[in-house]
Amino acid sequence: MRAILVVDMQEDFCPPNGSLAVEDGREITALINSLLPLFPVRLATQDWHPTDHVSFASNHAGKEPFVDFTTIINPENPEEKIETRLWPDHCVQGSPGAALIPELDTSLIQDYVKKGTHPQCETYSAFCSPFRKPRGFGDTGLARKLRDQGVDEVWVVGLAADYCVQSTAVDAAKEGFPTFIIEEGTKAVDPSEWEATGRMAVVEAGVKVVSIEGEEVKSIGWKQD
Ligand code: VGL
Ligand code: ZN
């Protein structure tokens, strides 16, 4: 059974008002809506942060969003530390910026996954935190949810290509699902970096990055009109 994960199509990631707007982020929505009916399992994710979230530059005196980093520590193993980028406040739980954009056809979405809810942990992936020693802190239950529904193939679209789409797709592949990203169904925070390194990292993890015009999408029944 095929699943589509629509990642973080939220106001804060979209122009014109998003605090962390991805250029042209809204423009992929029509394509996503047209893809949804091709998948029996259709889930949407939401970045869903408390106000004291560790990824907000505003919670670190003297630090700037986009350029500065902070260190997060695995609550289950203080020796594991990860440097993570700081952002403007975004996707605060229950705020207008955390809402899914109204253009997304949510009548076709069956279930929602919220991530980034732990104040001290950045979580780009819709599966779990980036900690690996041990792996699994902040498990959202997504892998289990997919398996319980008999999913055996995962397709990922949404925002942003170089952060949550990338991490979600890599984790889906690590969970053992054949995994695809549809290139035209995503946009990057930093498109040049995505071209230069992100796409390759994803492919190295076993994810197939495919074009809407390619054979793979044709084979699941998509027809251009
Ligand atoms: C994301 C930056 C911070 C994303 C989430 O959805 O790609 N990016 N939080
Ligand atoms: Zn976030």
Side-chain angles (χ1 to χ4, degrees):
M1 185 118 60
R2 239 172 235 129
I4 186 165
L5 304 181
V6 180
V7 173
D8 298 2
M9 291 301 292
Q10 292 165 276
E11 290 289 358
D12 269 340
F13 295 124
C14 291
N17 298 320
S19 62
L20 213 173
V22 177
E23 197 178 340
D24 298 331
R26 269 190 137 79
E27 289 173 19
I28 61 177
T29 321
L31 179 64
I32 292 173
N33 286 339
S34 74
L35 287 163
L36 282 169
L38 304 177
F39 293 84
V41 175
R42 305 177 294 272
L43 308 182
T45 72
Q46 281 173 286
D47 211 30
W48 197 251
H49 298 312
T51 53
D52 59 347
H53 195 251
V54 67
S55 79
F56 296 174
S58 64
N59 290 323
H60 303 266
K63 294 214 179 175
E64 298 278 337
F66 297 106
V67 290
D68 286 334
F69 287 75
T70 193
T71 306
I72 56 172
I73 300 166
N74 187 343
E76 295 174 337
N77 169 18
E79 311 224 313
E80 186 179 10
K81 300 186 170 83
I82 295 177
E83 291 293 301
T84 194
R85 190 180 294 278
L86 294 172
W87 303 107
D89 292 16
H90 64 280
C91 298
V92 170
Q93 297 173 1
S95 70
L100 292 167
I101 62 170
E103 298 95 319
L104 181 68
D105 187 355
T106 51
S107 73
L108 293 171
I109 301 295
Q110 297 154 334
D111 202 358
Y112 299 88
V113 176
K114 292 187 164 69
K115 62 185 177 59
T117 56
H118 189 287
Q120 291 305 320
C121 185
E122 179 62 291
T123 302
Y124 295 135
S125 164
F127 288 88
C128 67
S129 79
F131 297 119
R132 294 295 177 255
K133 303 169 205 161
R135 181 181 164 79
F137 179 79
D139 186 346
T140 61
L142 176 57
R144 175 144 195 193
K145 199 174 267 186
L146 294 172
R147 283 198 188 95
D148 284 352
Q149 294 184 74
V151 168
D152 55 11
E153 200 171 285
V154 173
W155 292 63
V156 187
V157 292
L159 300 172
D162 43 350
Y163 290 94
C164 291
V165 167
Q166 174 169 343
S167 295
T168 296
V170 167
D171 273 359
K174 281 192 184 138
E175 289 289 344
F177 297 105
T179 305
F180 300 79
I181 293 173
I182 301 173
E183 186 102 58
E184 294 85 349
T186 184
K187 295 280 177 191
V189 172
D190 184 341
S192 57
E193 193 61 29
W194 166 248
E195 300 294 329
T197 60
R199 189 193 288 110
M200 210 189 310
V202 160
V203 169
E204 266 163 25
V207 176
K208 291 209 170 75
V209 180
V210 300
S211 162
I212 194 70
E213 278 155 21
E215 285 310 310
E216 298 87 350
V217 183
K218 228 175 257 163
S219 76
I220 64 168
W222 195 78
K223 291 191 188 74
Q224 201 152 18
D225 43 38

